[in-house]
Amino acid sequence: MSVLIEISELVQKGKAKDVKVLVANALEEGISAKEILNDALIAGMMIVGEKFKAGEVYVPEVLISARAMNQGVNILKPYLTKEGVESVGKAVICTVKGDLHDIGKNLVKMMLEGVGIECIDLGVDASEEKVVEAVKESGAQIVCLSSLLTTTMDYQKDIIDALKDAGLRDKVKVMVGGAPLDAKFAEGIGADAYTKDAAEAAEVALSFLK
Ligand code: B1M
């Protein structure tokens, strides 16, 4: 069995310690960090999502898998990001109100920091007031919004509207992402960009700062 499939299965079983060991082994074998992230860790988590939807696993199992995935991501972090890069700008980042999913948001933050973008992380369940305040205080040029639930994705528009009302919309680029979104949705709510994954988010954010 390939090591990537093994890691994916260990994520599904929530075996955090074994995930750490096999991720390190995979790196030693010369498999790229990006491949391990996408084809093993995220792939495993996606299968957990399908099982969750089908009622085959429940919230506690999903959390245990999420923890195992995060342990793997921690091993990959130095390989995905460059240490000591100079700051090129600031981004306010959060998962929007009503939504507690933060694995994707944390990956985006990690990749942004990796290209030198300082992140003001508002965590999960962030209100429009919190975002507006953070933009005012930090002078951030970018706002990154994450939603994993169809019930919270519309909240991204409320945040964009609040930025408009506060006279800040022209001063920031708003980037959105998360599994239920696409470019059409982003355009519809007046966002500046939709990106499908963390690596693309870092590329686009950097292009906005140049
Ligand atoms: Co939840 N959950 N969950 N969950 N969960 C989903 C999202 C779901 C699709 C599962 C399913 O039914 N198949 C479903 C949503 C259905 C829908 O909305 N239509 C769902 C549900 C229903 C729920 C609850 C309502 C369940 C319940 O309680 N009955 C509940 C809601 C809680 C809440 O938020 N209020 C809930 C709870 C949870 C846990 C707490 C158990 C846990 C979250 C733990 C955590 O995040 N700390 C959890 C998890 C782990 C998942 C799944 C299984 C995995 C999500 C994940 O981390 N994926 C998920 C199934 C799935 O997505 N297929 C599911 C890995 C991660 C790397 O991918 O976050 O998509 P993702 O990020 C990607 C891209 O989307 C992009 O970059 C990342 C990759 O590089 N990206 C951005 C993300 N944000 C971005 C922002 C950007 C740019 C790119 O800004 C510029």
Side-chain angles (χ1 to χ4, degrees), residues 77 82 85 108-119:
K77 197 172 174 181
K82 288 181 223 122
V85 277
V108 174
K109 179 185 173 192
M110 191 174 91
M111 297 302 276
L112 257 57
E113 288 178 342
V115 296
I117 300 170
E118 197 185 316
C119 289

Side-chain angles (χ1 to χ4, degrees), residues 42 45-46 49 52-53 59 62-63 69 98-104 107-108 144-146 148-150 175-179 195-198 201:
I42 293 182
M45 209 57 217
M46 289 302 121
F52 180 57
K53 195 174 174 185
V59 170
V62 178
L63 277 173
M69 178 182 167
D99 203 321
L100 303 175
H101 297 85
D102 67 357
I103 299 173
L107 277 176
V108 174
C144 290
L145 306 174
S146 180
L148 261 287
L149 298 171
T150 45
M175 297 175 57
V176 297
T195 54
K196 68 175 186 318
D197 61 33

Side-chain angles (χ1 to χ4, degrees), residues 6-112:
E6 261 186 273
I7 295 170
S8 162
E9 288 187 352
L10 288 169
V11 167
Q12 292 167 53
K13 290 179 189 151
K15 303 271 185 202
K17 277 188 195 154
D18 297 338
V19 167
K20 272 164 72 176
V21 172
L22 280 208
V23 167
N25 288 351
L27 285 167
E28 267 175 31
E29 275 181 31
I31 303 174
S32 76
K34 202 173 161 193
E35 211 177 326
I36 300 169
L37 177 67
N38 291 326
D39 300 344
L41 297 174
I42 293 182
M45 209 57 217
M46 289 302 121
I47 295 172
V48 174
E50 281 156 26
K51 288 186 178 163
F52 180 57
K53 195 174 174 185
E56 291 167 29
V57 296
Y58 299 96
V59 170
E61 287 104 316
V62 178
L63 277 173
I64 292 166
S65 289
R67 195 186 57 185
M69 178 182 167
N70 278 332
Q71 299 277 339
V73 171
N74 285 342
I75 304 277
L76 294 180
K77 197 172 174 181
Y79 298 84
L80 292 167
T81 61
K82 288 181 223 122
E83 296 289 330
V85 277
E86 224 172 280
S87 172
V88 292
K90 284 184 196 169
V92 167
I93 184 165
C94 66
T95 302
V96 304
K97 198 159 152 181
D99 203 321
L100 303 175
H101 297 85
D102 67 357
I103 299 173
K105 185 266 297 169
N106 291 341
L107 277 176
V108 174
K109 179 185 173 192
M110 191 174 91
M111 297 302 276
L112 257 57

